[in-house]
């Protein structure tokens, strides 16, 4: 068979190369944002107004030469504003919110932290891809676990109590009166603590198979003063303890599990007869062509480095992937005996499903 080579369009080739220059800068910028976050550089700038490199270095107690080079890279990337007349750098109000306000849904450093952590682990994922073995959530560097918490929490703060729980049939009333809730795959417990704060009459049982995450979740609950109604156990989703739950929640974790179908069957057994299972998953269409956009790109990348290897590291290894889409999630849920399944809310990043027995 003769393969007909298409001619190379030089302008298109150079356009592709220059786009890649931007992306190499963006890749390196993940490290610079995490550096700025960990060294407190953005916070110092937000407090100080326009600074010289020397002033920033003094305030943050770092070397002036590093401060200057970091500031120049941030200015070139549009992460800080540079004024050539004064030689000073400052954060514009929008940059200050996105880079320093952990309570804002626009907060970004956590997103970069989980991305950088994933990249740091990529040599091991590359080897896993050769052998087909998995790579567990627990095996990742701490930036993946901390970044996950810091990336997701602002979205949960903005949507969980105000929009997602009210979208479930009759659940808020039960929570106000006193309900029993299991938060499965809870990680550092951001959602468990948040619900505990909002609904003091209810009891919340967080669980996760990762021991380190549960230790952090316990600390978070104690710090938030909700230890009386929020507790945590190390347990895989297919056998988390307890029964008669009014609500079971899973936030951004069903697709990470090796056996989501087994987990679904266990949720079915652990729920009260009129209970509700709330599943929050990354937003995705059912077909690849629906997800060829910036959010889909980021999620497929996380899925390659985090979610798919995590699932493959566990028994069954179904590997739904972070862009499984509604139809695939519905299949897994209804196969476990849930008769009702609906998408009840969504954001640019998440889809929220309600499943009932
Ligand atoms: C992306 S993180 C989400 C954590 C948390 N729900 C949140 O939204 O911040 C996925 C979590 O699923 C947990 N996980 C993965 N497989 C699990 C399993 N089979 N049973 C319980 N937890 C699991 C991981 O340990 C991790 O904490």
């Amino acid at each position: 068979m003769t393969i007909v080579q298409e001619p190379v369009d030089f302008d298109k080739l150079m356009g592709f190369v220059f786009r890649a220059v931007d992306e190499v800068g963006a890749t390196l910028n993940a490290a610079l944002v995490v550096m700025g976050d960990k060294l407190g550089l953005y916070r110092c700038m937000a407090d100080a107004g326009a600074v010289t490199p020397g002033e920033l270095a003094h305030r943050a107690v770092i070397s002036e030469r590093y401060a200057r080079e970091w500031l120049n890279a941030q200015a070139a990337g549009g992460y800080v504003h540079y004024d050539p007349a004064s030689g000073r750098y400052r954060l514009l109000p929008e940059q200050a919110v996105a880079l320093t306000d952990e309570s804002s849904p626009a907060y970004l450093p956590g997103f970069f932290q989980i991305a950088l952590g994933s990249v740091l682990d990529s040599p091991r994922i590359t080897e896993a891809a050769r052998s087909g073995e998995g790579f567990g959530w627990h095996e990742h560097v701490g930036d993946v676990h901390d970044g996950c918490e810091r990336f997701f929490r602002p979205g949960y703060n903005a949507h969980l109590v105000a929009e997602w729980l009210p979208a479930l049939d009759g659940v808020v009333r039960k929570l106000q009166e006193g309900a029993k809730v299991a938060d499965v795959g809870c990680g550092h417990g951001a959602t468990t603590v948040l619900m505990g704060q909002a609904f003091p009459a209810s009891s919340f049982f967080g669980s996760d198979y990762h021991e380190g995450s549960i230790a952090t979740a316990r600390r978070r609950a104690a710090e938030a003063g909700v230890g009386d109604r929020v507790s945590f156990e190390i347990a895989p989703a297919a056998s988390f303890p307890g029964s008669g739950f009014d609500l079971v929640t899973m936030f951004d974790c069903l697709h990470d599990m090796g056996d989501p179908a087994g987990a679904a069957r266990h949720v079915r057994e652990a729920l009260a007869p009129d209970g509700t299972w709330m599943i929050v998953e990354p937003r995705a269409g059912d077909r690849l062509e629906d997800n060829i956009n910036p959010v889909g790109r980021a999620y497929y990348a996380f899925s390659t480095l985090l979610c798919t290897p995590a699932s493959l590291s566990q028994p069954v290894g179904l590997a739904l992937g972070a862009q499984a889409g509604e139809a695939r999630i519905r299949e897994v849920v209804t196969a476990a005996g849930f008769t009702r399944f609906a998408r009840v809310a969504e954001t640019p990043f998440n889809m929220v499903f309600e499943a009932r027995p």
Side-chain angles (χ1 to χ4, degrees):
M1 195 175 92
T2 316
I3 298 173
V4 180
Q5 293 283 355
E6 285 186 53
V8 172
D9 179 319
F10 186 74
D11 289 339
K12 282 188 188 165
L13 175 62
M14 290 322 288
F16 189 50
V17 168
F18 277 103
R19 188 185 142 210
V21 171
D22 200 29
E23 302 215 334
V24 169
T27 306
L28 294 167
N29 193 47
L32 297 190
V33 171
V34 172
M35 184 177 170
D37 178 53
K38 289 189 175 174
L39 293 174
L41 305 182
Y42 296 121
R43 289 186 292 280
C44 284
M45 290 183 75
D47 291 346
V51 290
T52 63
E55 287 164 356
L56 178 61
H58 180 72
R59 286 180 77 97
V61 196
I62 67 163
S63 142
E64 189 272 345
R65 188 65 191 87
Y66 278 96
R68 184 163 17 118
E69 214 62 14
W70 179 85
L71 280 166
N72 291 345
Q74 294 295 281
Y79 277 62
V80 309
H81 179 74
Y82 174 61
D83 174 32
S86 63
R88 289 178 174 272
Y89 307 74
R90 70 184 172 99
L91 287 181
L92 301 175
E94 301 74 23
Q95 292 166 336
V97 169
L99 295 167
T100 68
D101 182 357
E102 294 225 17
S103 68
S104 165
Y107 182 68
L108 290 175
F111 205 178
F112 281 101
Q113 190 178 6
I114 186 172
L116 182 65
S118 308
V119 169
L120 289 173
D121 284 327
S122 65
R124 298 175 70 186
I125 307 301
T126 304
E127 287 314 307
R130 285 187 211 284
S131 66
E133 280 169 24
F135 190 83
W137 183 259
H138 61 284
E139 297 180 78
H140 284 286
V141 294
D143 276 332
V144 165
H145 310 133
D146 294 340
C148 175
E149 175 188 9
R150 297 175 75 216
F151 166 48
F152 284 130
R153 190 196 279 116
Y156 297 148
N157 284 343
H159 303 291
L160 174 55
V161 174
E163 294 161 26
W164 295 349
L165 291 170
L168 304 170
D169 187 20
V171 164
V172 167
R173 182 183 45 77
K174 287 186 192 173
L175 289 167
Q176 285 164 343
E177 288 171 2
K180 189 172 166 189
V181 181
D183 188 12
V184 177
C186 66
H188 287 187
T191 47
T192 337
V193 168
L194 192 57
M195 292 189 287
Q197 287 170 321
F199 300 103
S202 291
S203 307
F204 298 87
F205 302 88
S207 60
D208 197 291
Y209 91 103
H210 179 216
E211 192 178 343
S213 288
I214 289 299
T216 304
R218 287 181 176 140
R219 269 204 318 279
R220 298 283 187 263
E223 284 158 9
V226 293
D228 58 329
R229 52 188 178 274
V230 176
S231 61
F232 294 98
E233 290 295 333
I234 302 163
S239 59
F240 64 87
S243 60
F245 290 103
D246 301 293
L247 175 67
V248 174
T249 56
M250 284 191 193
F251 295 92
D252 279 292
C253 60
L254 183 66
H255 65 273
D256 291 309
M257 295 173 187
D259 184 12
R265 285 193 296 277
H266 185 60
V267 172
R268 177 79 182 76
E269 291 159 7
L271 269 182
D274 64 343
T276 300
W277 181 18
M278 175 166 77
I279 305 149
V280 176
E281 277 288 295
R283 185 175 178 147
D286 291 327
R287 303 166 312 164
L288 167 61
E289 49 271 44
D290 303 328
N291 304 323
I292 297 190
N293 55 55
V295 173
R297 182 190 190 193
Y299 278 150
Y300 278 123
F302 279 125
S303 190
T304 308
L305 295 171
L306 296 180
C307 316
T308 299
S311 178
L312 290 174
S313 75
Q314 300 180 17
V316 180
L318 188 66
L320 281 174
Q323 293 286 269
E326 178 171 342
R328 194 76 184 90
I329 303 289
R330 177 191 295 269
E331 255 174 54
V332 167
V333 170
T334 53
F338 287 87
T339 61
R340 289 165 285 174
F341 178 88
R343 187 194 298 217
V344 294
E346 60 190 16
T347 69
F349 295 106
N350 285 113
M351 312 184 282
V352 182
F353 301 109
E354 175 186 60
R356 306 290 301 271

